[in-house]
Amino acid sequence: PTTVAASRIFDGQSRGEEGEENLLSFERFPYIAMSKTYTTSNQTADSAGTMSAMMTGVKTKSAVISVTDAAAYKDCASSIAAKAMTVGELSELAGMATGVVTTARLTHATPAAVYSHSPDRDWESDGDLTEEAKQNGCPDIASQLIDFPYGDGLEVAMGGGRSNFMKAEEHDPEYPERSGRRRDGRDLVQEWLSKFSNAAYVWNASDFNAIDPKKTSHLLGLFEQSHMQFEADREHDAAGEPSLADMTTKAIDILSQNKNGYFLMVEAGRIDHAHHAGNAARALRDTQALSQAVAAARSHTNEADTLIIVTADHGHTLAFQ
């Protein structure tokens, strides 16, 4: 609530208005409610446990991804029988299209809760797995996105986190001095392209802009090694990054080709990161970008057959008394 109030004023003032009378796009929606997305292990919850609650309907521990409270943190063996079915999985089982868009790493907690299960949110690449996890067969989060076993897999996945999909010996296309993080020899980007017909992969703005939704069945976009740029810094990115609104509309254009409908999760993940850093300016700019993405989604959909929910997975530190 404090971030929304401050961002509403910031958004209005950025156009030369007083700000108080302004409304963000989603504040014009007909209904508002409060939800409690607590976790079972910590009073101060994290994105892993709270988003898992939203995606599965099950309250669980902090730092775990879409597993029930029966799973122990960092314990692979205890999590295998504790997987909680996600909205993403249910959507694919129903024959719908499924998409995930974020400005954080695609393997970060909030997007990961849509398509993966893990007793540790930090198992983003195979190099992050413990020996116990390897012995008991728990896969890393990035590989679960590619190996998603339901329906015809995710149709859209866009965000950051490129290094978790690249081999350790592979140099990054944007930062040649850096390399991938995978130790298992898997090139997950190539696997994505080989797995689906009419599949595409993009890592910069020009390639993203060139994508024709009508000719693309599955789109993977990895625009940074780690998280994408803050909105305030996006224009300075050498390779170029699409805005959250751009990614949202492209995702809808692809997903809406499915006659059975679709489920799309869009995260303005860097609001959280700016708050962690005590950086109100970047948090408010990214909330403004979220408002623009919601407006884009609303203009690209029909209220008669589309439900749009806007929420945080948890509150944050901004003090606005």
Side-chain angles (χ1 to χ4, degrees), residues 7-19 21-22:
S7 298
R8 173 195 313 135
I9 296 168
F10 170 81
D11 180 59
Q13 291 182 351
S14 69
R15 293 190 299 272
E17 303 165 5
E18 291 183 6
E21 77 293 342
N22 183 49

Side-chain angles (χ1 to χ4, degrees), residues 48-292:
T50 56
M51 189 60 170
S52 293
M54 290 164 60
M55 289 296 101
T56 69
V58 177
K59 291 294 193 294
T60 191
K61 296 179 175 70
S62 288
V64 304
I65 302 290
S66 296
V67 293
T68 71
D69 186 60
Y73 175 53
K74 284 186 177 292
D75 187 324
C76 170
S78 70
S79 71
I80 293 173
K83 294 178 181 178
M85 183 71 73
T86 74
V87 173
E89 293 168 338
L90 290 168
S91 298
E92 284 295 325
L93 285 172
M96 301 169 72
T98 310
V100 177
V101 169
T102 180
T103 51
R105 292 191 298 270
L106 262 176
T107 49
H108 212 234
T110 300
V114 177
Y115 62 83
S116 71
H117 306 272
S118 177
D120 187 345
R121 61 176 288 172
D122 292 330
W123 291 355
E124 296 186 45
S125 177
D126 67 298
D128 302 319
L129 297 172
T130 62
E131 283 305 313
E132 185 269 342
K134 295 175 184 176
Q135 291 172 6
N136 286 299
C138 279
D140 64 273
I141 292 169
S143 68
Q144 290 185 64
L145 189 150
I146 304 301
D147 297 333
F148 190 82
Y150 300 94
D152 58 351
L154 299 181
E155 278 79 7
V156 175
M158 288 188 283
R162 196 163 52 227
S163 61
N164 292 320
F165 294 79
M166 295 169 49
K167 294 185 289 186
E169 58 271 24
E170 186 179 0
H171 292 286
D172 188 85
E174 187 173 3
Y175 310 102
E177 71 280 7
R178 304 178 192 174
S179 59
R181 299 186 65 240
R182 300 203 66 82
R183 302 288 184 268
D184 57 4
R186 293 182 66 179
D187 181 342
L188 298 187
V189 171
Q190 190 55 51
E191 289 186 30
W192 172 278
L193 293 171
S194 301
K195 186 174 183 178
F196 308 110
S197 59
N198 299 319
Y201 165 66
V202 293
W203 62 271
N204 57 56
S206 60
D207 289 350
F208 170 85
N209 292 333
I211 289 292
D212 183 347
K214 294 183 179 180
K215 297 179 180 179
T216 307
S217 65
H218 291 75
L219 175 61
L220 174 64
L222 297 169
F223 301 104
E224 276 289 345
Q225 267 228 320
S226 184
H227 303 303
M228 291 179 66
Q229 301 286 349
F230 288 107
E231 180 63 21
D233 308 315
R234 187 168 59 84
E235 65 179 324
H236 305 300
D237 185 75
E241 293 182 6
S243 68
L244 188 63
D246 292 337
M247 292 192 289
T248 300
T249 53
K250 186 84 75 175
I252 292 172
D253 287 341
I254 293 173
L255 299 173
S256 60
Q257 296 179 83
N258 187 317
K259 66 181 186 300
N260 296 320
Y262 61 89
F263 168 75
L264 171 63
M265 192 291 294
V266 177
E267 182 200 22
R270 305 236 61 193
I271 300 171
D272 171 275
H273 300 155
H275 278 324
H276 276 299
N279 191 323
R282 281 176 170 77
L284 301 188
R285 279 288 299 275
D286 274 62
T287 307
Q288 187 180 40
L290 170 64
S291 179
Q292 293 164 355

